[in-house]
Amino acid sequence: MERFLRTQQLLGDSGFRRLQSSRVVVIGLGAVGGYAVEGLARAGVGSLRLFDFDTIQPSNINRQILALESTLYQPKAKVAEERVRAINPNCLVEAQEVFADQETLATILDPVPDLVIDAIDSLNPKIQLLSEVYKRGIPLLSSMGAALRTDPRKIAVGDIAESRGCPLAKRVRKRLRRVGIETGIRCVFSTEKVTFTYTPPVSDPNVPPANIYENRGRKRVILGSLPTLTGIFGLILANEAILYLSGGSEEGDNMSTTTPH
């Protein structure tokens, strides 16, 4: 198709056919995940299953590709699905407003995808997802912290054991070790040193939650971020996925493709 001619020219006919026959799950459709979906859809990935429980808010406009004046207060999953269809009507896209946790992972991972992209920004759901995907031996790409960074030259890709300079990655490593996982999860992270003070989010008791899951778990801390750095994280995830799925990358062996424990 002319729509994907340049992708096909670069990857070759067989590589592009593999990409078109691939099934990818993306969990988290915010600042990082939205750009990951954008890259996958524009590359011609054949099947996308998208999961996010949240709705688009005015505060998302500074960094989220799905956030527009015309999409405010709509479910991110619904907006993402419509955007993918607008890019590639032939893509088999399914989006669900689902909170990713131990109760829903069986649904999220059925049918078994060729690749899972983790763009969750909450620690507990992230750990639950990474642990389950690793145990099932499903190839995985995960995003560590993209907020608070300003230097794209410090972004790196590697095994979770190699991550450094990222407070989120440090917490993820610690939690994964508790369940016996030390390596085998490929991630995007930044080595840029960050200094910040956590400030609890301020909520107005007279304003109802934006979604039914807002009060589940700990409230997320509001962190400053740029559209450039979060977008680059998402596009790197998409790029890694495209190369792996098309057979154009030797790094695929470094993803979580181990035999389930």
Side-chain angles (χ1 to χ4, degrees), residues 236-247:
I236 289 177
L237 286 171
N239 193 70
E240 290 285 308
I242 291 163
L243 294 179
Y244 169 69
L245 294 167
S246 66

Side-chain angles (χ1 to χ4, degrees), residues 116-228:
V116 172
I117 291 182
D118 156 44
I120 298 174
D121 58 4
S122 296
L123 184 60
N124 287 341
K126 194 177 196 74
I127 296 300
Q128 291 173 0
L129 172 66
L130 296 181
S131 301
E132 186 66 24
V133 172
Y134 178 89
K135 290 174 183 177
R136 293 185 182 216
I138 302 172
L140 170 70
L141 289 166
S142 178
S143 174
M144 296 297 115
L148 302 170
R149 277 77 178 182
T150 60
D151 190 348
R153 296 168 297 180
K154 299 292 179 64
I155 300 174
V157 181
D159 191 274
I160 184 68
E162 302 169 350
S163 60
R164 59 193 187 281
C166 175
L168 175 59
K170 182 178 180 179
R171 293 195 291 273
V172 170
R173 290 196 307 271
K174 182 177 180 180
R175 292 283 297 275
L176 288 176
R177 281 197 295 269
R178 295 178 185 174
V179 293
I181 301 172
E182 296 194 14
T183 63
I185 293 177
R186 190 163 175 80
C187 62
V188 180
F189 60 94
S190 173
T191 62
E192 181 178 354
K193 185 178 180 179
V194 293
T195 303
F196 60 93
T197 302
Y198 281 115
T199 304
V202 178
S203 59
D204 186 340
N206 298 316
V207 177
N211 59 74
I212 61 174
Y213 298 109
E214 186 172 294
N215 294 322
R216 291 182 68 166
R218 298 179 181 177
K219 282 186 173 294
R220 285 176 288 182
V221 178
I222 297 173
L223 301 176
S225 58
L226 295 175
T228 46

Side-chain angles (χ1 to χ4, degrees), residues 25-83:
V25 165
V26 181
I27 307 169
L29 303 173
V32 172
Y35 276 94
V37 171
E38 185 81 4
L40 295 172
R42 291 189 182 278
V45 170
S47 175
L48 290 170
R49 298 184 71 227
L50 314 175
F51 297 90
D52 197 301
F53 66 90
D54 213 348
T55 57
I56 295 172
Q57 300 297 312
S59 61
N60 300 148
I61 287 179
N62 90 304
R63 69 200 183 286
Q64 297 189 17
I65 196 168
L66 300 175
L68 306 168
E69 188 67 25
S70 60
T71 61
L72 286 176
Y73 311 112
Q74 296 182 41
K76 291 179 182 178
K78 171 179 175 290
V79 174
E81 181 176 13
E82 291 175 351
R83 187 172 181 93

